[in-house]
Amino acid sequence: MAAIHQILSPSISSSASAFVGQNKLNLRPQQVSVVQKASRVVKCVAAPEQTAYTTNVSRNENLAKLQAGYLFPEIARRRAAHMLKHPDAKIISLGIGDTTEPIPEVITSAMSKRAQALSTLEGYSGYGAEQGEKQLRAAIASTFYSKLGIEEDDIFVSDGAKSDISRLQVLFGSNVTMAVQDPSYPAYVDSSVILGQTGQYQKDVEKYGNIAYMKCTPENGFFPDLSLVPRTDIIFFCSPNNPTGSTASREQLTKLVQFAKSNGSIIVYDSAYAMYISDDSPKSIFEIPGAKEVAIEVSSFSKYAGFTGVRLGWTVVPKTLLFSDGFPVAKDFNRIVCTCFNGASNIAQSGGLACLSPEGFEAMLETVSYYKENTKIITETFNSLGFKVYGGKNAPYVWVHFPGRSSWEVFSEILEKTHVVTTPGSGFGPAGEGFVRVSAFGHRENVLEACRRFKQLYK
């Protein structure tokens, strides 16, 4: 035996034996020999090997259900790996829907003024109303919901639509069932998984149990066949849609509201891209008769004013929306907001108020127009290359079809051969397989260069 021999006194040997017997040690034999001085007999004992300390708290089993990483961090990881492999390449990102153009000065100057005022006794303010400043709530109501019966106290100002999606999930709890467009923004499904509303992930169909996936494809005009959708408590619906760029018509949304009403369901309607609508499609679910009895609407300044980093959005919960026992949903959401949130930044809210001034609103429209022109350039590029292209008209996303191919395979091909980052469609749901989403959020010169590279790759 290749042992380390030590001659220890009986007292030391006894101490060693006591040490070995202590609890919470991971022991494995190390072939360490202890020689008793009296008998000279060699004995093998286990040397202690300390391991990382663990608590007795179990991991949230719902988090363990989540598949791999969240879509956009995974894209960022692959982009970083590509940069290491090609350090001299000029990488253009048309993947994650992050804005690139500067915030209009009329808006930043208002935020700057508010920030400066905080250094004065007269201008300082601490905690504000969790629901948002009264003036901003009133401006949101009058600007986006005029004549729709939505009042300022129906509006909850937040740090963004994504944050409110999670707060709404907390409101609903783990015992509800949900339906979601397929494909759709990943946060709807992932937050549902985390809250424990779903079953396990089923790899063979790439779906979670206990979620109704409402398939949206070119064949059904990207609006689900509601006759095939089972009754669920909650229906997540986004229009203009991320990722497909499709917009639901007034007739389609009327059917959705009627479907929710007949089933006693609540619609969570994501209107974060409503200002990109250039036809007569509804910009709000509350344009549909009866929607105030079955719908909540979440929205954001992120894609209108470049507030992706500033963080400011809102959620509308009408007073007429009631739970099955007649209790107002808004009262419970107010409790969630007051418990989990201390209100949006007062500086961000001053920027939001500036967004809704006549000059600020015009500046937002110009920003939206800039990205819509990018969308037109991307759409025309892929059309000229013979691809089937969807979206792009009322949304800053172009949904490009690569039939018979894996979305991640196409993502990798484009990244490797053009150094352009896109988003694989399958990351938004199983119905997104075979598609790639191309974002119009980018500097004009980068969009033009990316399109030049696309033409070179697929000519």
Side-chain angles (χ1 to χ4, degrees):
M1 177 172 66
I4 300 173
H5 294 279
Q6 287 183 304
I7 298 177
L8 303 176
S9 69
S11 61
I12 295 176
S13 180
S14 298
S15 298
S17 297
F19 179 64
V20 169
Q22 288 178 358
N23 293 328
K24 299 259 182 180
L25 288 175
N26 182 19
L27 305 179
R28 73 179 171 87
Q30 298 291 316
Q31 296 186 347
V32 176
S33 296
V34 179
V35 182
Q36 298 282 6
K37 187 174 182 180
S39 63
R40 309 294 294 179
V41 175
V42 177
K43 293 184 178 180
C44 291
V45 299
E49 182 179 278
Q50 202 76 42
T51 59
Y53 175 79
T54 61
T55 69
N56 289 325
V57 180
S58 299
R59 183 187 180 198
N60 179 348
E61 62 182 10
N62 296 310
L63 285 167
K65 296 178 187 176
L66 294 172
Q67 296 301 297
Y70 186 66
L71 174 61
F72 300 112
E74 174 62 18
I75 290 172
R77 185 192 69 77
R78 295 191 184 209
R79 171 182 171 162
H82 183 75
M83 290 174 69
L84 287 174
K85 186 177 177 182
H86 304 278
D88 297 326
K90 181 187 177 183
I91 295 180
I92 298 173
S93 180
L94 299 180
I96 187 170
D98 193 3
T99 51
T100 57
E101 301 312 295
I103 297 172
E105 188 176 357
V106 62
I107 299 169
T108 56
S109 62
M111 290 192 286
S112 176
K113 185 178 179 180
R114 182 70 174 269
Q116 290 293 328
L118 290 173
S119 64
T120 68
L121 284 174
E122 299 79 12
Y124 176 77
S125 61
Y127 291 128
E130 290 91 347
Q131 303 81 5
E133 295 178 357
K134 182 179 178 65
Q135 191 177 2
L136 176 57
R137 297 169 80 191
I140 291 171
S142 62
T143 302
F144 296 106
Y145 305 101
S146 177
K147 301 179 182 179
L148 297 181
I150 299 299
E151 301 173 350
E152 66 180 65
D153 57 352
D154 294 320
I155 293 167
F156 296 80
V157 176
S158 71
D159 53 346
K162 186 176 184 179
S163 299
D164 269 351
I165 287 165
S166 292
R167 292 185 190 108
L168 287 168
Q169 294 283 32
V170 173
L171 167 73
F172 299 136
S174 60
N175 293 324
V176 297
T177 54
M178 68 165 285
V180 65
Q181 287 162 291
D182 176 23
S184 67
Y185 182 45
Y188 310 144
V189 169
D190 281 10
S191 59
S192 181
V193 174
I194 292 169
L195 260 291
Q197 297 169 1
T198 75
Q200 295 293 332
Y201 183 72
Q202 301 164 359
K203 289 186 178 181
D204 55 335
V205 292
E206 298 181 328
K207 297 178 181 179
Y208 285 94
N210 209 37
I211 291 183
Y213 288 79
M214 304 186 295
K215 194 171 184 179
C216 298
T217 64
E219 288 72 29
N220 61 19
F222 296 102
F223 187 82
D225 182 347
L226 296 176
S227 68
L228 302 177
V229 178
R231 189 265 167 201
T232 62
D233 297 310
I234 312 300
I235 302 169
F236 277 91
F237 199 91
C238 179
S239 181
N241 180 263
N242 175 17
T244 66
S246 61
T247 308
S249 68
R250 193 170 304 275
E251 180 184 2
Q252 289 171 331
L253 289 181
T254 299
K255 290 180 180 178
L256 181 65
V257 168
Q258 292 172 344
F259 178 76
K261 205 159 205 178
S262 65
N263 285 311
S265 306
I266 293 176
I267 300 167
V268 177
Y269 189 81
D270 188 341
S271 66
Y273 301 95
M275 281 187 70
Y276 287 80
I277 295 175
S278 54
D279 57 24
D280 62 352
S281 301
K283 292 182 171 65
S284 168
I285 190 66
F286 300 119
E287 294 181 37
I288 307 303
K292 291 195 295 296
E293 297 174 348
V294 295
I296 293 169
E297 183 165 301
V298 295
S299 198
S300 170
F301 287 99
S302 286
K303 308 304 167 63
Y304 304 162
F307 271 28
T308 51
V310 174
R311 308 306 307 146
L312 191 68
W314 69 90
T315 290
V316 183
V317 188
K319 302 179 191 67
T320 49
L321 180 64
L322 308 176
F323 287 115
S324 59
D325 63 357
F327 195 83
V329 175
K331 286 189 176 182
D332 271 357
F333 188 62
N334 185 68
R335 180 61 184 267
I336 295 294
V337 167
C338 291
T339 301
C340 304
F341 186 51
N342 268 331
S345 156
N346 45 26
I347 297 173
Q349 290 191 73
S350 67
L353 197 58
C355 287
L356 303 180
S357 68
E359 187 181 356
F361 197 80
E362 184 61 34
M364 286 200 299
L365 288 174
E366 290 177 6
T367 299
V368 168
S369 178
Y370 180 91
Y371 292 127
K372 283 176 70 70
E373 182 62 28
N374 282 352
T375 310
K376 182 180 178 182
I377 293 168
I378 296 167
T379 299
E380 289 177 350
T381 295
F382 280 102
N383 276 330
S384 71
L385 293 168
F387 288 94
K388 285 280 189 181
V389 180
Y390 305 93
K393 181 181 179 183
N394 292 323
Y397 300 120
V398 179
W399 192 238
V400 188
H401 196 197
F402 290 81
R405 299 193 62 189
S406 156
S407 294
W408 279 108
E409 175 191 312
V410 176
F411 165 88
S412 297
E413 176 181 80
I414 292 174
L415 183 60
E416 279 292 327
K417 297 182 179 179
T418 70
H419 307 302
V420 176
V421 179
T422 56
T423 308
S426 58
F428 298 98
E433 184 61 277
F435 290 86
V436 166
R437 190 194 75 174
V438 184
S439 167
F441 294 119
H443 301 309
R444 182 64 47 75
E445 61 270 23
N446 285 344
V447 169
L448 290 170
E449 172 60 20
C451 287
R452 185 192 69 79
R453 297 180 191 179
F454 293 149
K455 289 178 178 177
Q456 193 171 29
L457 175 61
Y458 294 115
K459 61 185 178 181

